[in-house]
C-alpha cells in the first residue's frame, strides 16, 4: 500500500473557464508505513478480502484507495495483463467508465457559472443539429445531466463498437443522435442513457471552442492535481493497463480498446485510484475552486422530482448520505463512493469486465467499498434467472447439434409423417426456433438495454452463445425439413 498524502483543501485560485491552464498546490506527500482502513477493520482483513475475491472473479489486477481523516492511502494488487509479471503500480491508469460523467457534469457546471449555459434551457439553443419544437430539441441541459431526457438505456448503448479517435468523432456522433427521437417525452421519467452525456460533451466543445479532451484536461484534471489522469484519445495508449473481457469461466485479454473518442464524455476518462480520491476530496471540500462550493453541492443533490436518486453525474442514496458512481468499459470496471458529511471516500479500479452470471466482479467492488467506508450499499447482483439463462444458451447449441444427428438417424420416420398432425410436427419446430432467435437476438438485448454490438464488446462469450443458440436452433429445424422432403417419396 502507498500513502499518497494528506488531502488538504486547495488554496483558492483564479478560474479561467474557457481555456487557461491552471495549477493547484495540493498536498505534500506523507511518508507513513501503515494505515487503518476503517475503525475496527485492520488492513490485513481488507487485504484478505481482496485476495479472495480477486481469485473468485478472475480479476488480473486492481488499484484501490481510501480517503479518511484527510489522508489518502492507496494499494494495488495483481498484474497489468494476464500472463505478464508486470505488477499494477500506483501510477498505473485504468479506464473509469461512467465515472467520467461526473467530470462532464462538472465541466458543464463551470460553463453555467461562467454564464455560458442556462441549466434549464433547451439543447437546441446550443447545438445546431437539434430543432426547436421537437422532443429531442426541447430537452433541457438539466434533463440531460440527470438522465430524464427520455432517451433510453438501449438507445444510449448503441455505437459501442465505434473506436474512432478522429478529432471530429463526437461531432459526427451527435449529428447521428440528432436524428433519433427519444423513447419518451423529456422530463417524464428517469432512465440512464449514455446519449445524454455525449450531447453534454458536444455542448462543452461548442461553447468552449476546445475539443472535449482538451477542455477536461485544462479545466478539470490539471487544476485537481490529477497528474496521472487523461482522456482516452489514442487507439493504443501504452500507459493503460490491459483490459480483460469475460470468456466463459475466465478472462481474455482485450488487445484493442473499443472505447472511441465519441464516447469520452460518457466513459472515456483514464485515472488511478489516488487521482480519483483527489477528485472526490475536491468534490467534498466545501471550497470555491474548480467550481463553487454551491455548484459542487448542487451536483450531489437530487436534480428534480423525477430524478430523486441522481444529481448531476452522481448517483445518490439520500437516506444514507452516500454519493457514488460506477463505471464500465469493455475490459474495465470502476467504482467511486463518497460520504460527504464525513468527508470520506473510497475508489477501486479493476482491469476486467464482469461476466453475465459467472465471474461477476460487483461483489469485489462493492464489497471493498462497504468494508473500507463502513457502509452497506450492495448492488442487485445477477440472480438465479441469469444463471439459468447462461446455462441454457451454453447447453442449447450442443443439444441442437445432437438433435440434428438424431434427425439424420430417424430420417425415415420424418419422411413418413403425413396428415395435419404430421405437417404440424414438421413445421412447428421451425416456427419455435424463429421465435427463439427473435427473443435471443432482439427482445433479450432490449430488456437488458444493450444492443447486440454492445454485448459483443462487453460480453463476447455471451454474444457467441446467443448467436450459436439462435443459429443451431434454426439449423436443426431446417435439417428436419430437408430430411423430411428429400430422398425417397413418402409412403
Amino acid at each position: 500500500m502507498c500513502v499518497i498524502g494528506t488531502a488538504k483543501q486547495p488554496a483558492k485560485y483564479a478560474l479561467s473557464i474557457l481555456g487557461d491552464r491552471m495549477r493547484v498546490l495540493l498536498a505534500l506527500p506523507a511518508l507513513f508505513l501503515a494505515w487503518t482502513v476503517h475503525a475496527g477493520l485492520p488492513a490485513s482483513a481488507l487485504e484478505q478480502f481482496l485476495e479472495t475475491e480477486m481469485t473468485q472473479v478472475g480479476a488480473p489486477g486492481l488499484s484501490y484507495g481510501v480517503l479518511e481523516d484527510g489522508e489518502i492511502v492507496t494499494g494495488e494488487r495483481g498484474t497489468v495483463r494476464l500472463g505478464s509479471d508486470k505488477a499494477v503500480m500506483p501510477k498505473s491508469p485504468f479506464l473509469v467508465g461512467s465515472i467520467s460523467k461526473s467530470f462532464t457534469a462538472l465541466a458543464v457546471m463551470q460553463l453555467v457559472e461562467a454564464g455560458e449555459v442556462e441549466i434549464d434551457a433547451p439543447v437546441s439553443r446550443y447545438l445546431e443539429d437539434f430543432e426547436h419544437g421537437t422532443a429531442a430539441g426541447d430537452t433541457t441541459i438539466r434533463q440531460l445531466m440527470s438522465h430524464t431526457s427520455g432517451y433510453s438505456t438501449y438507445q444510449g448503448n448503441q455505437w459501442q463498437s465505434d473506436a474512432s479517435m478522429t478529432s471530429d468523432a463526437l461531432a459526427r456522433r451527435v449529428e447521428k443522435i440528432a436524428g433519433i427521437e427519444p423513447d419518451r417525452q423529456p422530463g417524464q421519467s428517469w432512465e440512464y442513457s449514455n446519449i445524454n452525456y455525449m450531447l453534454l460533451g458536444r455542448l462543452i466543445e461548442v461553447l468552449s471552442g476546445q475539443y472535449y479532451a482538451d477542455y477536461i484536461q485544462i479545466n478539470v484534471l490539471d487544476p485537481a492535481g490529477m497528474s496521472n489522469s487523461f482522456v482516452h484519445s489514442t487507439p493504443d495508449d501504452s500507459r493503460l493497463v490491459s483490459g480483460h473481457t469475460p470468456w466463459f469461466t475466465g478472462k481474455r485479454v482485450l488487445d484493442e480498446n473499443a472505447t472511441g473518442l465519441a464516447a469520452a464524455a460518457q466513459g472515456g476518462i483514464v485515472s488511478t485510484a489516488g487521482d480519483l480520491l483527489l477528485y472526490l476530496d475536491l468534490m467534498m471540500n466545501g471550497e470555491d475552486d474548480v467550481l463553487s462550493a454551491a455548484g459542487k453541492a448542487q451536483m450531489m443533490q437530487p436534480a428534480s422530482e423525477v430524478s430523486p436518486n441522481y444529481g448531476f453525474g452522481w448517483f445518490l442514496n439520500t437516506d444514507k448520505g452516500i454519493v457514488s458512481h460506477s463505471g464500465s468499459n469493455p475490459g474495465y470496471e470502476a467504482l467511486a463512493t463518497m460520504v460527504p458529511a464525513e468527508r470520506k471516500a473510497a475508489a477501486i479500479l479493476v482491469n476486467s469486465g464482469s461476466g453475465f452470471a459467472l465471474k461477476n466482479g460487483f461483489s469485489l467492488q462493492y464489497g471493498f467499498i462497504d468494508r473500507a467506508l463502513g457502509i452497506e450499499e450492495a448492488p442487485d447482483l445477477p440472480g438465479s434467472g441469469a444463471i439459468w439463462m447462461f446455462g441454457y444458451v451454453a447447453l442449447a447449441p450442443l443439444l441442437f447439434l445432437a438433435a440434428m444427428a438424431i434427425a439424420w438417424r430417424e430420417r425415415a420416420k420424418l419422411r413418413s409423417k403425413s396428415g395435419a398432425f404430421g405437417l404440424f410436427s414438421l413445421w412447428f419446430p421451425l416456427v419455435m426456433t424463429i421465435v427463439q432467435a427473435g427473443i435471443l437476438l432482439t427482445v433479450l438485448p432490449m430488456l437488458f438495454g444493450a444492443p447486440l454490438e454492445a454485448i459483443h464488446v462487453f460480453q463476447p462469450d455471451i454474444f457467441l452463445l446467443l448467436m450459436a443458440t439462435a443459429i443451431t436452433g434454426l439449423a436443426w429445424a431446417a435439417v428436419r425439413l430437408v430430411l423430411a422432403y428429400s430422398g425417397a417419396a413418402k409412403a
Side-chain angles (χ1 to χ4, degrees):
M1 298 179 186
C2 170
V3 179
I4 286 187
T6 305
K8 299 176 180 177
Q9 296 178 352
K12 296 183 180 179
Y13 52 85
L15 173 64
S16 174
I17 293 294
L18 299 178
D20 290 339
R21 186 173 295 271
M22 300 174 292
R23 296 182 180 179
V24 179
L25 292 177
L26 292 171
L28 294 174
L31 300 177
F32 298 105
L33 298 177
W35 66 296
T36 299
V37 178
H38 186 265
L41 179 65
S44 58
L46 187 63
E47 287 289 320
Q48 182 61 51
F49 167 79
L50 290 174
E51 181 177 354
T52 301
E53 286 295 316
M54 280 186 70
T55 301
Q56 290 181 356
V57 306
L62 58 81
S63 176
Y64 58 94
V66 179
L67 163 70
E68 190 168 13
D69 297 328
E71 183 176 271
I72 292 174
V73 187
T74 63
E76 303 78 35
R77 296 188 68 88
T79 61
V80 300
R81 182 185 177 96
L82 274 176
S84 168
D85 58 0
K86 184 178 180 181
V88 176
M89 303 298 288
K91 293 185 178 181
S92 299
F94 296 66
L95 274 161
V96 303
S98 287
I99 298 173
S100 305
K101 290 179 173 65
S102 68
F103 291 85
T104 300
L106 189 150
V108 172
M109 290 298 290
Q110 288 179 331
L111 296 171
V112 169
E113 293 190 349
E116 298 290 334
V117 177
E118 290 185 24
I119 202 167
D120 290 308
V123 69
S124 58
R125 180 184 297 181
Y126 306 106
L127 300 183
E128 61 181 14
D129 292 321
F130 290 82
E131 182 180 350
H132 179 68
T134 65
D138 289 347
T139 301
T140 67
I141 307 306
R142 179 189 298 273
Q143 290 164 347
L144 292 175
M145 286 204 287
S146 59
H147 294 295
T148 58
S149 64
Y151 290 110
S152 69
T153 301
Y154 185 88
Q155 289 176 314
N157 281 330
Q158 297 179 59
W159 310 288
Q160 289 288 354
S161 60
D162 180 7
S164 173
M165 287 294 183
T166 60
S167 58
D168 65 342
L170 181 54
R172 289 187 290 106
R173 174 73 57 81
V174 168
E175 186 177 358
K176 292 179 181 178
I177 293 172
I180 300 174
E181 278 297 298
D183 272 0
R184 293 174 305 282
Q185 287 296 309
Q188 289 187 347
S189 60
W190 187 93
E191 184 172 356
Y192 190 89
S193 182
N194 288 328
I195 280 180
N196 298 318
Y197 277 78
M198 294 181 213
L199 298 183
L200 293 170
R202 181 59 182 156
L203 174 77
I204 292 167
E205 290 189 336
V206 170
L207 295 181
S208 70
Q210 297 173 283
Y211 291 121
Y212 174 83
D214 294 335
Y215 182 93
I216 294 296
Q217 191 71 52
I218 293 169
N219 295 284
V220 180
L221 302 180
D222 287 351
M226 300 174 69
S227 57
N228 299 304
S229 302
F230 52 93
V231 176
H232 182 53
S233 57
T234 57
D236 299 306
D237 196 318
S238 60
R239 292 173 291 180
L240 269 172
V241 301
S242 295
H244 300 78
T245 50
W247 193 242
F248 301 103
T249 59
K251 304 291 182 182
R252 186 172 68 173
V253 177
L254 186 66
D255 290 324
E256 294 184 4
N257 194 285
T259 303
L261 197 53
Q266 59 91 2
I269 287 179
V270 177
S271 192
T272 64
D275 274 9
L276 272 184
L277 288 167
L278 289 174
Y279 169 63
L280 299 182
D281 187 61
L282 199 68
M283 287 296 301
M284 297 185 294
N285 66 10
E287 290 288 318
D288 298 335
D289 36 55
V290 294
L291 189 69
S292 70
K296 288 184 284 189
Q298 185 179 4
M299 290 177 63
M300 298 186 287
Q301 296 171 357
S304 66
E305 292 183 359
V306 185
S307 180
N309 300 312
Y310 200 89
F312 295 156
W314 291 105
F315 282 97
L316 311 174
N317 184 333
T318 53
D319 292 338
K320 296 182 178 180
I322 298 170
V323 180
S324 66
H325 215 297
S326 60
S328 179
N329 295 88
Y332 302 86
E333 289 181 342
L335 180 60
T337 301
M338 296 178 280
V339 185
E342 301 178 38
R343 199 173 171 183
K344 63 182 182 181
I348 183 168
L349 312 174
V350 186
N351 64 341
S352 68
S354 286
F356 178 72
L358 304 176
K359 302 291 185 180
N360 190 287
F362 299 138
S363 59
L364 164 64
Q365 297 158 39
Y366 283 88
F368 164 75
I369 295 292
D370 289 355
R371 287 164 172 77
L373 297 181
I375 61 177
E376 293 182 5
E377 182 147 277
D380 293 327
L381 299 176
S384 59
I387 296 174
W388 279 109
M389 197 202 84
F390 182 88
Y392 174 72
V393 295
L395 291 175
L398 300 176
L399 296 176
F400 283 127
L401 290 173
M404 284 186 230
I406 293 172
W408 171 259
R409 189 183 65 189
E410 304 292 333
R411 59 190 180 279
K413 292 182 180 180
L414 292 173
R415 290 167 180 163
S416 68
K417 290 180 180 291
S418 62
F421 181 78
L423 288 174
F424 177 81
S425 67
L426 285 174
W427 287 93
F428 183 70
L430 178 62
V431 174
M432 291 307 297
T433 53
I434 290 174
V435 171
Q436 174 187 255
I439 292 173
L440 292 176
L441 305 183
T442 304
V443 177
L444 196 65
M446 292 185 70
L447 289 175
F448 283 97
L452 278 176
E453 66 172 307
I455 296 174
H456 182 237
V457 296
F458 278 89
Q459 303 261 241
D461 52 351
I462 293 295
F463 175 83
L464 181 62
L465 292 175
L466 289 174
M467 296 298 294
T469 300
I471 292 170
T472 55
L474 291 169
W476 165 69
V479 165
R480 291 179 80 253
L481 290 173
V482 170
L483 293 173
Y485 288 99
S486 64
K490 293 184 180 180

